[in-house]
Amino acid sequence: MTKLIVLLLSMTLLSCGQKGVGKTAAPATETKKVPTTTAPSFDADSAYRYVEKQVSFGYRVPNTPGHKACGDYLSAELKRFGAQVYEQEMTLTAYDGTPLESRNIIGSFNPGNDRRILLCAHWDTRPYSDQDPDPANHRKPLDGADDGASGVGTLLEIARQIGTKAPRMGVDIIFFDAEDYGVPEFAREQYGNSSNTWCLGSRFWGKNPHKPGYKAEFGILLDMVGAKDAVFYKEFISMRYAARYVDEVWETARNLGYGKYFINANGGGVTDDHEAVIEGTGIPCLDIINYDPHTDEGFRSHWHTQGDNMGNIDKEVLKAVGQTVLGVVYGRIDN
Ligand code: AHN
Ligand code: ZN
């Protein structure tokens, strides 16, 4: 069974089994800041602490206290940075019928600006270490330092920077829930492995955006952006629907000296939250994901194992990704 799943939109359209019902609440806070076009310096120590902080809550698996506490923290941080925060709470349904109390957390900066960029990552963690070399670990949850916390930690640091020094464009930061509750390897005979058991929070948002008719010029998804020796190839679905933005991001990385991570070559296709964004809203969205198409597995060796812990997180990789995204956000004026 290959983990490299390439899906064209036509194949997955409306097949995602949206089962949630939800509500969206929007408290109003908006701060006016002087816009700038110079990217601030991404503080990798700060981003690292945000990754660590999430891990300190324990597993961020829906229906657990750690998940609830971490969600509250993420929402409070976005508010502290001056974002208008929307919380989408919904009950989603896992592959095995388990109701998942889930929450998408959205922080909008400069909400009145109709020129917007969407930045996103999933904040939940996988309830299973089903790729662990030791079968005794397959049903255990994992820390998700890379798979989950790295993308969110990077975006929290970006949000903190935007809060002090506003870019010209409006920015929406979305933390998607219930990305990683897809069918575990050990239950695939019973349940199959449909792509629509993954990315439940983003699929919900795609059909019910926090603002009706929500639009952004493009989106960037960060997924597993913190591990040592990360490689970011140009992911297939991203290239199909957002090629010009992929090229812009990779070129920005190269210009900043991060070409060793952002490989200028096409990679495989990955089922991920960007697909739900594209499908649901038509917004071109790309995925910066640590996935090596030249290996059998594609995902790196710590993926969905107990090894996905703080020991794997490399500040230099967080810096490469964070500074690149800031470069893209602040580099945009009216192009
Ligand atoms: C699948 O394994 C089908 N998609 C990978 C998306 C993912 C999982 N990203 C992080 N964890
Ligand atoms: Zn995962």
mmCIF file of all heavy atoms in Angstrom, residues 168-212:
data_model
loop_
_atom_site.group_PDB
_atom_site.id
_atom_site.type_symbol
_atom_site.label_atom_id
_atom_site.label_comp_id
_atom_site.label_asym_id
_atom_site.label_seq_id
_atom_site.Cartn_x
_atom_site.Cartn_y
_atom_site.Cartn_z
ATOM 1 N N ARG A 168 1.795 44.819 4.264
ATOM 2 C CA ARG A 168 0.746 45.511 3.503
ATOM 3 C C ARG A 168 -0.510 44.664 3.340
ATOM 4 O O ARG A 168 -1.616 45.169 3.365
ATOM 5 C CB ARG A 168 1.255 45.864 2.091
ATOM 6 C CG ARG A 168 2.326 46.909 2.080
ATOM 7 C CD ARG A 168 1.704 48.301 2.189
ATOM 8 N NE ARG A 168 2.759 49.300 2.082
ATOM 9 C CZ ARG A 168 3.050 49.940 0.957
ATOM 10 N NH1 ARG A 168 2.351 49.711 -0.143
ATOM 11 N NH2 ARG A 168 4.027 50.811 0.930
ATOM 12 N N MET A 169 -0.302 43.383 3.130
ATOM 13 C CA MET A 169 -1.461 42.520 2.865
ATOM 14 C C MET A 169 -2.085 42.016 4.157
ATOM 15 O O MET A 169 -1.420 41.902 5.184
ATOM 16 C CB MET A 169 -1.046 41.344 1.976
ATOM 17 C CG MET A 169 -0.776 41.800 0.544
ATOM 18 S SD MET A 169 -0.502 40.472 -0.619
ATOM 19 C CE MET A 169 -2.081 39.623 -0.673
ATOM 20 N N GLY A 170 -3.355 41.724 4.090
ATOM 21 C CA GLY A 170 -4.013 41.065 5.214
ATOM 22 C C GLY A 170 -3.548 39.614 5.281
ATOM 23 O O GLY A 170 -3.275 39.008 4.249
ATOM 24 N N VAL A 171 -3.452 39.093 6.477
ATOM 25 C CA VAL A 171 -2.994 37.705 6.634
ATOM 26 C C VAL A 171 -3.969 36.950 7.536
ATOM 27 O O VAL A 171 -4.372 37.449 8.592
ATOM 28 C CB VAL A 171 -1.577 37.645 7.263
ATOM 29 C CG1 VAL A 171 -1.145 36.193 7.488
ATOM 30 C CG2 VAL A 171 -0.555 38.370 6.374
ATOM 31 N N ASP A 172 -4.355 35.774 7.113
ATOM 32 C CA ASP A 172 -5.172 34.885 7.949
ATOM 33 C C ASP A 172 -4.345 33.660 8.286
ATOM 34 O O ASP A 172 -3.797 33.010 7.397
ATOM 35 C CB ASP A 172 -6.442 34.458 7.206
ATOM 36 C CG ASP A 172 -7.279 35.656 6.830
ATOM 37 O OD1 ASP A 172 -7.799 36.314 7.744
ATOM 38 O OD2 ASP A 172 -7.372 35.972 5.625
ATOM 39 N N ILE A 173 -4.247 33.389 9.566
ATOM 40 C CA ILE A 173 -3.526 32.203 10.019
ATOM 41 C C ILE A 173 -4.560 31.203 10.515
ATOM 42 O O ILE A 173 -5.371 31.522 11.383
ATOM 43 C CB ILE A 173 -2.516 32.586 11.110
ATOM 44 C CG1 ILE A 173 -1.422 33.447 10.456
ATOM 45 C CG2 ILE A 173 -1.949 31.340 11.802
ATOM 46 C CD1 ILE A 173 -0.275 33.837 11.344
ATOM 47 N N ILE A 174 -4.552 30.023 9.917
ATOM 48 C CA ILE A 174 -5.537 29.016 10.312
ATOM 49 C C ILE A 174 -4.841 27.779 10.868
ATOM 50 O O ILE A 174 -3.964 27.203 10.222
ATOM 51 C CB ILE A 174 -6.446 28.588 9.136
ATOM 52 C CG1 ILE A 174 -7.079 29.823 8.474
ATOM 53 C CG2 ILE A 174 -7.519 27.606 9.610
ATOM 54 C CD1 ILE A 174 -8.162 29.500 7.462
ATOM 55 N N PHE A 175 -5.251 27.416 12.078
ATOM 56 C CA PHE A 175 -4.801 26.161 12.671
ATOM 57 C C PHE A 175 -5.942 25.156 12.494
ATOM 58 O O PHE A 175 -7.000 25.273 13.135
ATOM 59 C CB PHE A 175 -4.477 26.351 14.148
ATOM 60 C CG PHE A 175 -3.359 27.349 14.399
ATOM 61 C CD1 PHE A 175 -3.415 28.234 15.474
ATOM 62 C CD2 PHE A 175 -2.249 27.396 13.567
ATOM 63 C CE1 PHE A 175 -2.383 29.143 15.712
ATOM 64 C CE2 PHE A 175 -1.202 28.311 13.791
ATOM 65 C CZ PHE A 175 -1.277 29.181 14.864
ATOM 66 N N PHE A 176 -5.718 24.196 11.608
ATOM 67 C CA PHE A 176 -6.745 23.184 11.336
ATOM 68 C C PHE A 176 -6.653 22.043 12.351
ATOM 69 O O PHE A 176 -5.560 21.619 12.719
ATOM 70 C CB PHE A 176 -6.574 22.598 9.933
ATOM 71 C CG PHE A 176 -6.911 23.541 8.814
ATOM 72 C CD1 PHE A 176 -5.984 23.836 7.819
ATOM 73 C CD2 PHE A 176 -8.179 24.115 8.732
ATOM 74 C CE1 PHE A 176 -6.300 24.688 6.775
ATOM 75 C CE2 PHE A 176 -8.508 24.971 7.683
ATOM 76 C CZ PHE A 176 -7.569 25.262 6.703
ATOM 77 N N ASP A 177 -7.806 21.553 12.717
ATOM 78 C CA ASP A 177 -7.874 20.424 13.636
ATOM 79 C C ASP A 177 -8.098 19.119 12.849
ATOM 80 O O ASP A 177 -8.410 19.155 11.641
ATOM 81 C CB ASP A 177 -9.042 20.656 14.620
ATOM 82 C CG ASP A 177 -8.861 19.888 15.930
ATOM 83 O OD1 ASP A 177 -7.944 19.059 16.018
ATOM 84 O OD2 ASP A 177 -9.656 20.145 16.861
ATOM 85 N N ALA A 178 -7.938 18.011 13.544
ATOM 86 C CA ALA A 178 -8.320 16.681 13.035
ATOM 87 C C ALA A 178 -7.787 16.359 11.643
ATOM 88 O O ALA A 178 -8.471 15.775 10.809
ATOM 89 C CB ALA A 178 -9.854 16.534 13.056
ATOM 90 N N GLU A 179 -6.537 16.763 11.428
ATOM 91 C CA GLU A 179 -5.892 16.379 10.158
ATOM 92 C C GLU A 179 -5.430 14.933 10.204
ATOM 93 O O GLU A 179 -5.467 14.215 9.223
ATOM 94 C CB GLU A 179 -4.677 17.291 9.904
ATOM 95 C CG GLU A 179 -4.010 17.091 8.535
ATOM 96 C CD GLU A 179 -2.965 15.978 8.486
ATOM 97 O OE1 GLU A 179 -2.529 15.488 9.551
ATOM 98 O OE2 GLU A 179 -2.601 15.571 7.383
ATOM 99 N N ASP A 180 -4.976 14.524 11.400
ATOM 100 C CA ASP A 180 -4.146 13.318 11.479
ATOM 101 C C ASP A 180 -4.853 12.115 12.092
ATOM 102 O O ASP A 180 -4.223 11.255 12.689
ATOM 103 C CB ASP A 180 -2.869 13.645 12.270
ATOM 104 C CG ASP A 180 -1.619 13.216 11.521
ATOM 105 O OD1 ASP A 180 -1.757 12.465 10.536
ATOM 106 O OD2 ASP A 180 -0.517 13.628 11.928
ATOM 107 N N TYR A 181 -6.179 12.048 11.912
ATOM 108 C CA TYR A 181 -6.954 10.939 12.469
ATOM 109 C C TYR A 181 -7.304 9.915 11.386
ATOM 110 O O TYR A 181 -8.265 9.160 11.508
ATOM 111 C CB TYR A 181 -8.226 11.491 13.139
ATOM 112 C CG TYR A 181 -8.609 10.799 14.434
ATOM 113 C CD1 TYR A 181 -8.478 11.442 15.658
ATOM 114 C CD2 TYR A 181 -9.105 9.497 14.432
ATOM 115 C CE1 TYR A 181 -8.838 10.822 16.846
ATOM 116 C CE2 TYR A 181 -9.471 8.868 15.609
ATOM 117 C CZ TYR A 181 -9.331 9.530 16.803
ATOM 118 O OH TYR A 181 -9.682 8.903 17.977
ATOM 119 N N GLY A 182 -6.509 9.878 10.313
ATOM 120 C CA GLY A 182 -6.778 8.934 9.230
ATOM 121 C C GLY A 182 -6.633 7.490 9.674
ATOM 122 O O GLY A 182 -6.026 7.198 10.717
ATOM 123 N N VAL A 183 -7.179 6.574 8.885
ATOM 124 C CA VAL A 183 -7.187 5.145 9.236
ATOM 125 C C VAL A 183 -5.770 4.659 9.543
ATOM 126 O O VAL A 183 -4.863 4.817 8.729
ATOM 127 C CB VAL A 183 -7.766 4.298 8.085
ATOM 128 C CG1 VAL A 183 -7.790 2.816 8.473
ATOM 129 C CG2 VAL A 183 -9.153 4.772 7.697
ATOM 130 N N PRO A 184 -5.575 4.061 10.722
ATOM 131 C CA PRO A 184 -4.244 3.547 11.042
ATOM 132 C C PRO A 184 -3.920 2.317 10.212
ATOM 133 O O PRO A 184 -4.813 1.566 9.796
ATOM 134 C CB PRO A 184 -4.344 3.208 12.532
ATOM 135 C CG PRO A 184 -5.796 3.041 12.811
ATOM 136 C CD PRO A 184 -6.531 3.906 11.833
ATOM 137 N N GLU A 185 -2.642 2.155 10.008
ATOM 138 C CA GLU A 185 -2.113 1.021 9.245
ATOM 139 C C GLU A 185 -2.737 -0.307 9.707
ATOM 140 O O GLU A 185 -3.119 -1.139 8.903
ATOM 141 C CB GLU A 185 -0.592 1.016 9.501
ATOM 142 C CG GLU A 185 0.220 0.204 8.558
ATOM 143 C CD GLU A 185 0.566 0.897 7.241
ATOM 144 O OE1 GLU A 185 0.680 2.137 7.193
ATOM 145 O OE2 GLU A 185 0.717 0.168 6.264
ATOM 146 N N PHE A 186 -2.905 -0.469 11.028
ATOM 147 C CA PHE A 186 -3.371 -1.760 11.562
ATOM 148 C C PHE A 186 -4.872 -1.987 11.378
ATOM 149 O O PHE A 186 -5.377 -3.051 11.675
ATOM 150 C CB PHE A 186 -2.991 -1.903 13.052
ATOM 151 C CG PHE A 186 -3.467 -0.776 13.938
ATOM 152 C CD1 PHE A 186 -4.794 -0.683 14.329
ATOM 153 C CD2 PHE A 186 -2.572 0.218 14.354
ATOM 154 C CE1 PHE A 186 -5.225 0.364 15.141
ATOM 155 C CE2 PHE A 186 -2.991 1.260 15.168
ATOM 156 C CZ PHE A 186 -4.335 1.351 15.561
ATOM 157 N N ALA A 187 -5.596 -0.949 10.899
ATOM 158 C CA ALA A 187 -7.053 -1.122 10.737
ATOM 159 C C ALA A 187 -7.479 -1.016 9.273
ATOM 160 O O ALA A 187 -8.656 -0.875 8.963
ATOM 161 C CB ALA A 187 -7.792 -0.085 11.578
ATOM 162 N N ARG A 188 -6.515 -1.095 8.386
ATOM 163 C CA ARG A 188 -6.842 -0.841 6.978
ATOM 164 C C ARG A 188 -7.583 -1.975 6.295
ATOM 165 O O ARG A 188 -8.301 -1.743 5.329
ATOM 166 C CB ARG A 188 -5.580 -0.438 6.205
ATOM 167 C CG ARG A 188 -5.176 0.955 6.650
ATOM 168 C CD ARG A 188 -4.133 1.640 5.854
ATOM 169 N NE ARG A 188 -3.804 2.889 6.565
ATOM 170 C CZ ARG A 188 -2.720 3.609 6.375
ATOM 171 N NH1 ARG A 188 -1.844 3.226 5.467
ATOM 172 N NH2 ARG A 188 -2.526 4.703 7.067
ATOM 173 N N GLU A 189 -7.422 -3.169 6.831
ATOM 174 C CA GLU A 189 -8.203 -4.265 6.248
ATOM 175 C C GLU A 189 -9.681 -4.030 6.500
ATOM 176 O O GLU A 189 -10.522 -4.274 5.644
ATOM 177 C CB GLU A 189 -7.784 -5.594 6.857
ATOM 178 C CG GLU A 189 -6.910 -6.376 5.911
ATOM 179 C CD GLU A 189 -6.423 -7.673 6.508
ATOM 180 O OE1 GLU A 189 -7.279 -8.467 6.968
ATOM 181 O OE2 GLU A 189 -5.194 -7.884 6.517
ATOM 182 N N GLN A 190 -9.970 -3.521 7.677
ATOM 183 C CA GLN A 190 -11.371 -3.274 8.048
ATOM 184 C C GLN A 190 -11.931 -2.000 7.402
ATOM 185 O O GLN A 190 -13.057 -1.982 6.933
ATOM 186 C CB GLN A 190 -11.474 -3.178 9.575
ATOM 187 C CG GLN A 190 -12.906 -3.130 10.061
ATOM 188 C CD GLN A 190 -12.987 -3.063 11.587
ATOM 189 O OE1 GLN A 190 -11.964 -3.105 12.291
ATOM 190 N NE2 GLN A 190 -14.201 -2.959 12.091
ATOM 191 N N TYR A 191 -11.129 -0.938 7.413
ATOM 192 C CA TYR A 191 -11.672 0.371 7.035
ATOM 193 C C TYR A 191 -11.146 0.938 5.719
ATOM 194 O O TYR A 191 -11.581 2.007 5.298
ATOM 195 C CB TYR A 191 -11.382 1.394 8.143
ATOM 196 C CG TYR A 191 -12.104 1.114 9.438
ATOM 197 C CD1 TYR A 191 -11.420 0.591 10.530
ATOM 198 C CD2 TYR A 191 -13.469 1.363 9.559
ATOM 199 C CE1 TYR A 191 -12.077 0.340 11.727
ATOM 200 C CE2 TYR A 191 -14.133 1.109 10.755
ATOM 201 C CZ TYR A 191 -13.435 0.604 11.834
ATOM 202 O OH TYR A 191 -14.088 0.349 13.012
ATOM 203 N N GLY A 192 -10.156 0.261 5.089
ATOM 204 C CA GLY A 192 -9.535 0.848 3.907
ATOM 205 C C GLY A 192 -8.662 2.022 4.323
ATOM 206 O O GLY A 192 -8.324 2.162 5.496
ATOM 207 N N ASN A 193 -8.275 2.869 3.363
ATOM 208 C CA ASN A 193 -7.527 4.077 3.739
ATOM 209 C C ASN A 193 -7.914 5.218 2.830
ATOM 210 O O ASN A 193 -7.112 5.766 2.091
ATOM 211 C CB ASN A 193 -6.018 3.847 3.674
ATOM 212 C CG ASN A 193 -5.253 5.088 4.131
ATOM 213 O OD1 ASN A 193 -5.764 5.891 4.910
ATOM 214 N ND2 ASN A 193 -4.031 5.263 3.653
ATOM 215 N N SER A 194 -9.191 5.557 2.886
ATOM 216 C CA SER A 194 -9.656 6.631 2.026
ATOM 217 C C SER A 194 -9.020 7.951 2.445
ATOM 218 O O SER A 194 -8.857 8.232 3.634
ATOM 219 C CB SER A 194 -11.176 6.726 2.147
ATOM 220 O OG SER A 194 -11.589 7.957 1.606
ATOM 221 N N SER A 195 -8.669 8.753 1.449
ATOM 222 C CA SER A 195 -8.035 10.047 1.759
ATOM 223 C C SER A 195 -8.978 10.935 2.549
ATOM 224 O O SER A 195 -8.552 11.837 3.252
ATOM 225 C CB SER A 195 -7.599 10.738 0.480
ATOM 226 O OG SER A 195 -8.729 11.060 -0.293
ATOM 227 N N ASN A 196 -10.299 10.662 2.449
ATOM 228 C CA ASN A 196 -11.198 11.559 3.180
ATOM 229 C C ASN A 196 -11.350 11.227 4.666
ATOM 230 O O ASN A 196 -12.150 11.818 5.366
ATOM 231 C CB ASN A 196 -12.547 11.728 2.476
ATOM 232 C CG ASN A 196 -13.278 10.431 2.291
ATOM 233 O OD1 ASN A 196 -13.151 9.530 3.121
ATOM 234 N ND2 ASN A 196 -14.023 10.322 1.209
ATOM 235 N N THR A 197 -10.541 10.284 5.176
ATOM 236 C CA THR A 197 -10.487 10.097 6.630
ATOM 237 C C THR A 197 -9.423 11.008 7.243
ATOM 238 O O THR A 197 -9.302 11.101 8.465
ATOM 239 C CB THR A 197 -10.198 8.627 7.019
ATOM 240 O OG1 THR A 197 -8.888 8.248 6.575
ATOM 241 C CG2 THR A 197 -11.219 7.691 6.398
ATOM 242 N N TRP A 198 -8.645 11.666 6.373
ATOM 243 C CA TRP A 198 -7.630 12.619 6.810
ATOM 244 C C TRP A 198 -8.178 14.039 6.619
ATOM 245 O O TRP A 198 -9.148 14.249 5.903
ATOM 246 C CB TRP A 198 -6.352 12.456 5.974
ATOM 247 C CG TRP A 198 -5.766 11.081 6.040
ATOM 248 C CD1 TRP A 198 -6.141 10.000 5.286
ATOM 249 C CD2 TRP A 198 -4.726 10.615 6.911
ATOM 250 N NE1 TRP A 198 -5.390 8.900 5.629
ATOM 251 C CE2 TRP A 198 -4.512 9.254 6.619
ATOM 252 C CE3 TRP A 198 -3.950 11.235 7.897
ATOM 253 C CZ2 TRP A 198 -3.551 8.481 7.290
ATOM 254 C CZ3 TRP A 198 -2.986 10.477 8.551
ATOM 255 C CH2 TRP A 198 -2.798 9.107 8.249
ATOM 256 N N CYS A 199 -7.531 14.996 7.246
ATOM 257 C CA CYS A 199 -7.822 16.415 6.957
ATOM 258 C C CYS A 199 -9.279 16.791 7.223
ATOM 259 O O CYS A 199 -9.905 17.534 6.451
ATOM 260 C CB CYS A 199 -7.474 16.751 5.508
ATOM 261 S SG CYS A 199 -5.800 16.284 5.045
ATOM 262 N N LEU A 200 -9.842 16.294 8.324
ATOM 263 C CA LEU A 200 -11.267 16.531 8.593
ATOM 264 C C LEU A 200 -11.550 17.999 8.918
ATOM 265 O O LEU A 200 -12.559 18.553 8.491
ATOM 266 C CB LEU A 200 -11.737 15.634 9.744
ATOM 267 C CG LEU A 200 -11.551 14.127 9.533
ATOM 268 C CD1 LEU A 200 -12.048 13.354 10.755
ATOM 269 C CD2 LEU A 200 -12.261 13.643 8.273
ATOM 270 N N GLY A 201 -10.673 18.629 9.677
ATOM 271 C CA GLY A 201 -10.889 20.032 10.052
ATOM 272 C C GLY A 201 -10.825 20.954 8.847
ATOM 273 O O GLY A 201 -11.657 21.855 8.697
ATOM 274 N N SER A 202 -9.864 20.731 7.982
ATOM 275 C CA SER A 202 -9.730 21.604 6.808
ATOM 276 C C SER A 202 -10.866 21.350 5.816
ATOM 277 O O SER A 202 -11.333 22.281 5.144
ATOM 278 C CB SER A 202 -8.370 21.415 6.131
ATOM 279 O OG SER A 202 -8.153 20.065 5.786
ATOM 280 N N ARG A 203 -11.330 20.102 5.744
ATOM 281 C CA ARG A 203 -12.471 19.831 4.861
ATOM 282 C C ARG A 203 -13.714 20.552 5.360
ATOM 283 O O ARG A 203 -14.515 21.083 4.586
ATOM 284 C CB ARG A 203 -12.756 18.331 4.773
ATOM 285 C CG ARG A 203 -11.722 17.582 3.969
ATOM 286 C CD ARG A 203 -11.915 16.067 4.112
ATOM 287 N NE ARG A 203 -10.677 15.381 3.813
ATOM 288 C CZ ARG A 203 -10.247 15.105 2.591
ATOM 289 N NH1 ARG A 203 -10.982 15.426 1.541
ATOM 290 N NH2 ARG A 203 -9.092 14.495 2.398
ATOM 291 N N PHE A 204 -13.867 20.568 6.681
ATOM 292 C CA PHE A 204 -14.991 21.311 7.271
ATOM 293 C C PHE A 204 -14.880 22.791 6.925
ATOM 294 O O PHE A 204 -15.844 23.415 6.459
ATOM 295 C CB PHE A 204 -15.014 21.131 8.798
ATOM 296 C CG PHE A 204 -16.146 21.876 9.451
ATOM 297 C CD1 PHE A 204 -17.385 21.276 9.612
ATOM 298 C CD2 PHE A 204 -15.985 23.193 9.867
ATOM 299 C CE1 PHE A 204 -18.448 21.974 10.181
ATOM 300 C CE2 PHE A 204 -17.037 23.905 10.442
ATOM 301 C CZ PHE A 204 -18.268 23.291 10.594
ATOM 302 N N TRP A 205 -13.688 23.368 7.142
ATOM 303 C CA TRP A 205 -13.498 24.795 6.869
ATOM 304 C C TRP A 205 -13.698 25.098 5.382
ATOM 305 O O TRP A 205 -14.279 26.129 5.022
ATOM 306 C CB TRP A 205 -12.093 25.235 7.319
ATOM 307 C CG TRP A 205 -11.835 26.679 7.020
ATOM 308 C CD1 TRP A 205 -12.167 27.757 7.787
ATOM 309 C CD2 TRP A 205 -11.215 27.201 5.836
ATOM 310 N NE1 TRP A 205 -11.789 28.921 7.149
ATOM 311 C CE2 TRP A 205 -11.210 28.609 5.960
ATOM 312 C CE3 TRP A 205 -10.668 26.614 4.679
ATOM 313 C CZ2 TRP A 205 -10.665 29.445 4.971
ATOM 314 C CZ3 TRP A 205 -10.137 27.440 3.698
ATOM 315 C CH2 TRP A 205 -10.134 28.838 3.847
ATOM 316 N N GLY A 206 -13.221 24.201 4.514
ATOM 317 C CA GLY A 206 -13.359 24.413 3.073
ATOM 318 C C GLY A 206 -14.816 24.593 2.665
ATOM 319 O O GLY A 206 -15.145 25.369 1.769
ATOM 320 N N LYS A 207 -15.697 23.860 3.347
ATOM 321 C CA LYS A 207 -17.126 23.952 3.041
ATOM 322 C C LYS A 207 -17.818 25.029 3.855
ATOM 323 O O LYS A 207 -18.904 25.489 3.475
ATOM 324 C CB LYS A 207 -17.800 22.624 3.325
ATOM 325 C CG LYS A 207 -17.291 21.584 2.379
ATOM 326 C CD LYS A 207 -18.114 20.336 2.440
ATOM 327 C CE LYS A 207 -17.649 19.399 1.348
ATOM 328 N NZ LYS A 207 -17.551 18.038 1.789
ATOM 329 N N ASN A 208 -17.233 25.374 4.991
ATOM 330 C CA ASN A 208 -17.823 26.392 5.882
ATOM 331 C C ASN A 208 -16.742 27.368 6.317
ATOM 332 O O ASN A 208 -16.329 27.362 7.484
ATOM 333 C CB ASN A 208 -18.388 25.729 7.151
ATOM 334 C CG ASN A 208 -19.247 24.523 6.850
ATOM 335 O OD1 ASN A 208 -20.416 24.645 6.562
ATOM 336 N ND2 ASN A 208 -18.640 23.351 6.904
ATOM 337 N N PRO A 209 -16.258 28.203 5.390
ATOM 338 C CA PRO A 209 -15.187 29.112 5.805
ATOM 339 C C PRO A 209 -15.652 30.044 6.920
ATOM 340 O O PRO A 209 -16.858 30.279 7.084
ATOM 341 C CB PRO A 209 -14.843 29.891 4.536
ATOM 342 C CG PRO A 209 -15.738 29.391 3.456
ATOM 343 C CD PRO A 209 -16.648 28.341 3.994
ATOM 344 N N HIS A 210 -14.714 30.565 7.711
ATOM 345 C CA HIS A 210 -15.068 31.393 8.871
ATOM 346 C C HIS A 210 -15.821 32.646 8.454
ATOM 347 O O HIS A 210 -16.527 33.224 9.268
ATOM 348 C CB HIS A 210 -13.805 31.748 9.663
ATOM 349 C CG HIS A 210 -12.780 32.501 8.874
ATOM 350 N ND1 HIS A 210 -12.037 31.905 7.881
ATOM 351 C CD2 HIS A 210 -12.389 33.792 8.907
ATOM 352 C CE1 HIS A 210 -11.230 32.809 7.349
ATOM 353 N NE2 HIS A 210 -11.423 33.965 7.945
ATOM 354 N N LYS A 211 -15.612 33.087 7.198
ATOM 355 C CA LYS A 211 -16.415 34.180 6.643
ATOM 356 C C LYS A 211 -17.003 33.656 5.345
ATOM 357 O O LYS A 211 -16.255 33.156 4.501
ATOM 358 C CB LYS A 211 -15.525 35.381 6.301
ATOM 359 C CG LYS A 211 -15.171 36.271 7.468
ATOM 360 C CD LYS A 211 -14.447 37.521 6.954
ATOM 361 C CE LYS A 211 -14.168 38.473 8.099
ATOM 362 N NZ LYS A 211 -13.441 39.681 7.648
ATOM 363 N N PRO A 212 -18.323 33.806 5.150
ATOM 364 C CA PRO A 212 -18.914 33.310 3.898
ATOM 365 C C PRO A 212 -18.236 33.968 2.697
ATOM 366 O O PRO A 212 -17.978 35.165 2.709
ATOM 367 C CB PRO A 212 -20.381 33.741 4.001
ATOM 368 C CG PRO A 212 -20.617 34.025 5.454
ATOM 369 C CD PRO A 212 -19.294 34.433 6.044
#
